[in-house]
Amino acid sequence: MLLFVVLGVCNGGELKNQFYKESCPEAEDIVQNIIWKRVSTNPTLPAKFLRMHFHDCFVRGCDASILLNSTAKNKAEKDAVPNLSLGGFDVIDEIKTQLEKTCPEIVSCADIVALAARDSVSFQFKKSMWEVLTGRRDGKISVASQALANIPSPFFNFTTLKQSFANKGLTLHDLVVLSGGHTIGVGHCNFFSNRLYNFTGKGGQDPSLNSKYAAFLKTKCKSLADNKTTVPMDPGSPLSFDSNYFKILKQNEGMFQSDAALLTDEGSSNIVDELVDSETFFTEFAQSMVRMGAIGVLTGSSGEIRKKCSVVN
């Protein structure tokens, strides 16, 4: 465990286990109770919180900048194209409201996002699937253009993807492991329909896409212009957090170009083979999430503890 604490410190953080043990002992229970209650009636939430955490950490580090609202003078991250389909902000607000009643101005929104991702995925298993080190503080800056510049695109090829993760201090291994998050959630047609209808720019489909799967996707996404329809990224078990993503990837049924890209490099393709085993995937995912959760964190006296997650104090 020590390894991860040290990793956090390398990334500018002094994150630790049970950071709120003295200052707000009920904090983690409050988060888990609200998340589990909400997920029990809305099984699409784990994918949403996992994505929110990922999109938060890749822009300015894990500082809850994803939660800030735009103002008259500034378009914030949540209004950038990659984030328009995010959801679950109301649940984060519900948790923050409860925490502010219990221990005002103690628990950061950044930690709530990290805990919500873990607890929502963990609901299915009724136990914590990875450790969340806490002690993050909240950033005061959120700029839409930075989201566009930093969040990996579903259109990325292998080289661009690998670089995007390396820029955040994450390895090739982390890239493949964290892509496994696509085992839950949905994709919007407009982020992959070019692979069905116009892959070369002259029509035609992506030859690396399983033709049966392509035919299935065409029944859902009728044209390049469709930006409303969503399709499960893992059609076999779209609400179950499992290693099925890697199985379908090997059958050339990864939805996005960025999924298929993982098979175009020998190193990453070998990692895909290993992660088909669910026990290996769960172990590796837990470790990569700790590393991702430590990207560029604000700790100590940096940033602030927002009273309300959508606005700076």
Side-chain angles (χ1 to χ4, degrees):
M1 186 51 244
L2 190 65
L3 171 70
F4 301 142
V5 181
V6 175
L7 268 167
V9 175
C10 298
N11 280 313
E14 287 83 50
L15 300 184
K16 59 183 197 185
N17 203 357
Q18 300 287 330
F19 179 82
Y20 298 107
K21 199 173 166 186
E22 308 295 326
S23 59
C24 187
E26 294 162 71
E28 294 196 20
D29 288 340
I30 288 171
V31 177
Q32 192 200 64
N33 291 341
I34 294 175
I35 289 288
W36 282 19
K37 183 186 78 188
R38 289 293 209 108
V39 174
S40 69
T41 58
N42 182 356
T44 68
L45 283 173
K48 290 182 164 63
F49 289 124
L50 202 51
R51 191 157 169 254
M52 182 190 289
H53 184 32
F54 179 75
H55 283 206
D56 181 40
C57 291
F58 263 66
V59 188
R60 307 189 68 85
C62 315
D63 67 344
S65 52
I66 191 77
L67 303 177
L68 288 171
N69 287 338
S70 294
T71 61
K73 291 182 180 164
N74 176 60
K75 187 176 172 184
E77 284 169 40
K78 67 160 71 161
D79 290 319
V81 170
N83 293 329
L84 294 176
S85 53
L86 288 179
F89 295 110
D90 57 323
V91 184
I92 300 290
D93 290 340
E94 182 185 341
I95 293 167
K96 182 62 173 167
T97 302
Q98 186 55 52
L99 285 168
E100 287 300 303
K101 280 182 194 158
T102 311
C103 26
E105 297 173 52
I106 298 288
V107 183
S108 70
C109 299
D111 278 341
I112 295 172
V113 171
L115 290 164
R118 191 267 311 271
D119 292 342
S120 59
V121 170
S122 299
F123 175 75
Q124 174 189 332
F125 304 92
K126 299 295 185 285
K127 64 173 189 184
S128 279
M129 292 302 282
W130 63 87
E131 184 163 48
V132 174
L133 302 177
T134 41
R136 295 167 192 77
R137 288 169 65 87
D138 299 324
K140 303 178 189 183
I141 298 167
S142 181
V143 184
S145 59
Q146 293 181 353
L148 275 169
N150 285 279
I151 294 169
S153 155
F155 302 106
F156 274 1
N157 63 21
F158 178 75
T159 311
T160 333
L161 269 179
K162 190 179 168 190
Q163 188 58 54
S164 172
F165 275 67
N167 291 345
K168 305 297 168 193
L170 298 174
T171 63
L172 167 61
H173 198 262
D174 293 321
L175 159 61
V176 183
V177 170
L178 293 171
S179 295
H182 284 179
T183 184
I184 49 175
V186 296
H188 286 69
C189 288
N190 51 316
F191 290 119
F192 60 85
S193 54
N194 67 309
R195 300 184 74 200
L196 305 175
Y197 299 112
N198 192 22
F199 192 63
T200 55
K202 302 176 185 139
Q205 73 187 35
D206 183 345
S208 75
L209 190 60
N210 178 308
S211 53
K212 255 176 146 163
Y213 183 51
F216 160 74
L217 290 176
K218 282 178 176 173
T219 66
K220 305 287 183 189
C221 307
K222 301 284 201 283
S223 75
L224 275 171
D226 183 349
N227 60 3
K228 297 280 188 285
T229 310
T230 59
V231 186
M233 292 188 277
D234 174 1
S237 55
L239 297 171
S240 174
F241 191 83
D242 52 35
S243 63
N244 204 45
Y245 167 81
F246 298 101
K247 292 175 190 157
I248 62 177
L249 198 55
K250 284 168 66 75
Q251 292 158 14
N252 295 311
E253 294 178 10
M255 175 176 280
F256 301 117
Q257 224 166 308
S258 57
D259 295 318
L262 301 179
L263 299 179
T264 62
D265 171 83
E266 193 185 350
S268 71
S269 188
N270 290 339
I271 300 168
V272 168
D273 291 343
E274 289 166 21
L275 296 171
V276 168
D277 175 72
S278 58
E279 211 160 293
T280 306
F281 171 52
F282 291 154
T283 304
E284 300 294 339
F285 194 79
Q287 294 174 2
S288 288
M289 285 301 288
V290 173
R291 282 195 281 274
M292 187 189 85
I295 296 172
V297 291
L298 300 170
T299 57
S301 58
S302 305
E304 63 180 15
I305 304 294
R306 282 182 224 146
K307 298 186 184 81
K308 204 174 161 206
C309 289
S310 56
V311 289
V312 295
N313 292 344

